[in-house]
């Protein structure tokens, strides 16, 4: 038995999809614990690309069962499109996909409010506009609509009418938006209930029973630790807890069941949207990393901001997540670079910081302290063992391990499943 959590250790987009898919070969169940369709997990198998937004990345392994937990907010349209896409490739969902009856639903007004607030905000966060934040607001305001509410039409309609009355006031009076029609939404979501019914399950009971039976479980997060609503660069964060602690609440699994935490780390750093980014490169090197690494969002297509690996932020992430091992991705993107920067600290007004700052005003004033490592001239393509890596690449990995305080156990050399070194 093993219960492992896979977290993104940076600002998301670290390549979690590939790592979860890879580890799923040795796993019985893969469970997604937070976020929504704002996630974009890209997996490439024999040159064929799959982009998943809600369904766990383990679905591409034919004998793996997948769970969407109570901590996820579900967009019915996105979910059904994703199921249809996978089935069109001959990937069966029957008896393999289970969705928590306690998961909250993203309603049409959540998307409208998300976009309207972003457009009118004095300082935009840079959301995807998928309704994730407003859905979590309703969840914690205790007016959210869960999948279980669809089972009772009377209760569902009562909740929906109350919500729409409030949302219509906000949409029309503040954002000058047209009113939503209750009957249309009721019809759409009851139709969705019929489609989703075969997948609904008490997933907390299912997972805990599986763990008791000795099955292996892989818990998958979306986004990254530095976007965590509690521990990230607030307010430029997501609306949930991508950190390892979110796995337990998002799935109903006790922390005493967890054996290890794997942090997925890109060999450089990227960020999408607004917010401080100390090691960001605004020069030709930043543009080169973006072009070579194909750094454009899988969900939105937005270009990602790029910079050298921020080891100081990574050490903070290792601490708050309890990361015991690192999966290092996109090392091949650094092929041919003469000198590779690694941020080992932050400096403010000439003074070195001892810890990662909670105040984004201070973080935005930080100057990165770099050490530079010799690059490697040859391509890493086709390398299958750690011993065969160039010495310069090994030294860079050792430097990452030193600053992070965790061992690099997996090294990814391309998006394809096969191009991976397991140490």
């Amino acid at each position: 038995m093993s219960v492992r959590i896979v977290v993104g250790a940076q600002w998301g987009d670290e390549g979690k999809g590939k790592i979860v898919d890879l580890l799923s070969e040795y796993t019985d169940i893969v469970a997604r614990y937070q976020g929504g369709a704002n996630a974009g997990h890209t997996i490439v198998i024999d040159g064929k690309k799959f982009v998943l937004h809600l369904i766990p990345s383990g679905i591409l392994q034919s004998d793996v069962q997948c769970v969407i937990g109570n901590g996820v907010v579900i967009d019915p349209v996105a979910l059904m499109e994703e199921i249809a896409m996978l089935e069109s490739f001959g990937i069966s969902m029957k008896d393999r996909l289970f969705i928590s009856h306690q998961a909250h639903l993203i309603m049409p007004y959540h998307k409208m409010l998300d976009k309207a607030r972003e457009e009118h905000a004095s300082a935009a966060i840079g959301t995807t506009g998928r309704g994730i934040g407003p859905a979590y607001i309703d969840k914690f305001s205790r007016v959210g609509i869960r999948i279980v509410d669809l089972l009772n039409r009377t209760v569902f309609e009562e909740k929906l009418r109350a919500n729409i009355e409030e949302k219509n006031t906000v949409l029309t009076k503040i954002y000058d938006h047209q009113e939503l029609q209750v009957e249309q939404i009721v019809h759409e979501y009851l139709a969705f209930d019929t489609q989703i019914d075969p997948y609904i399950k008490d997933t907390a009971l299912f997972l805990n029973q599986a763990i008791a039976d000795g099955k292996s479980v892989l818990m998958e997060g979306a986004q990254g630790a530095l976007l965590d609503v509690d521990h990230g660069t607030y307010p430029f964060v997501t609306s949930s807890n991508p950190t390892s602690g979110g796995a337990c609440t998002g799935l109903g699994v006790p922390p005493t069941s967890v054996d290890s935490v794997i942090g997925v780390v890109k060999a450089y750093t990227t960020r999408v949207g607004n917010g401080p980014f100390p090691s960001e490169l605004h020069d030709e090197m930043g543009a080169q990393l973006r072009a070579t690494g194909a750094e454009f969002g899988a969900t939105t297509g937005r270009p990602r901001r790029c910079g050298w690996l921020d080891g100081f932020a990574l050490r903070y992430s290792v601490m708050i997540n309890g990361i015991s091992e690192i999966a290092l991705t996109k090392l091949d993107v650094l092929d041919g670079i003469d000198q590779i920067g690694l941020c080992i600290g932050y400096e403010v007004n000439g003074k070195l910081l001892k810890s990662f700052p909670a105040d984004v005003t201070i973080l935005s004033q930080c100057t990165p302290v770099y050490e530079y490592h010799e690059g490697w001239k040859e391509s890493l393509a086709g390398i299958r063992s750690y011993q065969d890596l160039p010495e310069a690449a090994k030294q860079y990995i050792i430097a990452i391990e030193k600053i992070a305080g965790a061992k690099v156990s997996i090294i990814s050399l391309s998006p394809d499943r096969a191009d991976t070194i397991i140490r």
Side-chain angles (χ1 to χ4, degrees), residues 55 226 305:
I55 296 173
L226 299 178
R305 300 154 63 191

Side-chain angles (χ1 to χ4, degrees), residues 72-310:
V72 179
V73 287
I74 296 175
D75 179 346
V77 175
L79 177 63
M80 298 318 298
E81 285 178 353
E82 201 161 310
I83 288 173
M85 178 271 292
L86 289 167
E87 288 182 335
S88 73
F89 287 114
I91 299 168
S92 174
M93 302 290 113
K94 183 176 172 55
D95 298 324
R96 293 189 58 219
L97 178 64
F98 304 111
I99 302 170
S100 172
H101 60 313
Q102 293 179 305
H104 282 246
L105 291 167
I106 292 177
M107 309 302 290
Y109 47 78
H110 290 140
K111 296 179 185 178
M112 292 178 183
L113 285 168
D114 200 2
K115 292 175 183 175
R117 285 172 180 164
E118 190 76 354
E119 288 169 2
H120 288 77
S122 57
I125 301 297
T127 76
T128 60
R130 300 298 177 98
I132 310 300
Y136 278 115
I137 289 172
D138 277 3
K139 175 177 179 174
F140 290 105
S141 295
R142 293 160 294 180
V143 296
I145 295 175
R146 301 183 298 169
I147 286 176
V148 69
D149 295 324
L150 297 175
L151 302 178
N152 187 322
R153 178 164 184 156
T154 302
V155 171
F156 173 58
E157 287 194 34
E158 285 177 357
K159 284 190 172 186
L160 188 60
R161 287 182 194 282
N163 280 357
I164 287 181
E165 183 178 349
E166 177 194 342
K167 294 336 184 213
N168 272 341
T169 301
V170 175
L171 285 167
T172 57
K173 304 297 183 186
I174 298 178
Y175 298 121
D176 195 27
H177 199 287
Q178 65 182 22
E179 286 193 346
L180 291 157
Q181 301 302 312
V182 178
E183 297 304 329
Q184 180 183 345
I185 297 173
V186 169
H187 176 75
E188 288 175 3
Y189 277 72
L190 290 177
F192 166 66
D193 179 46
T194 303
Q195 294 175 296
I196 201 176
D197 190 60
Y199 308 108
I200 303 307
K201 201 175 191 68
D202 182 341
T203 54
L205 178 63
F206 171 71
L207 287 168
N208 280 284
Q209 187 60 59
I211 293 169
D213 292 341
K215 292 188 176 180
S216 56
V217 177
L218 195 62
M219 303 178 186
E220 176 187 30
Q223 291 86 43
L226 299 178
L227 293 175
D228 187 276
V229 70
D230 286 297
H231 303 288
T233 51
Y234 190 91
F236 301 99
V237 293
T238 193
S239 301
S240 57
N241 294 108
T243 44
S244 58
C248 297
T249 53
L251 292 169
V253 172
T256 48
S257 297
V258 178
D259 297 305
S260 63
V261 180
I262 300 166
V264 185
V265 179
K266 197 177 286 184
Y268 48 101
T269 308
T270 62
R271 178 165 198 169
V272 173
N274 300 330
F277 180 1
S279 68
E280 182 174 9
L281 295 170
H282 300 279
D283 55 10
E284 291 182 5
M285 181 54 66
Q288 179 181 325
L289 290 173
R290 184 181 304 111
T292 308
E295 294 296 350
F296 299 89
T299 299
T300 63
R302 290 183 294 180
R304 297 179 185 136
R305 300 154 63 191
C306 298
W308 295 128
L309 178 58
D310 190 334

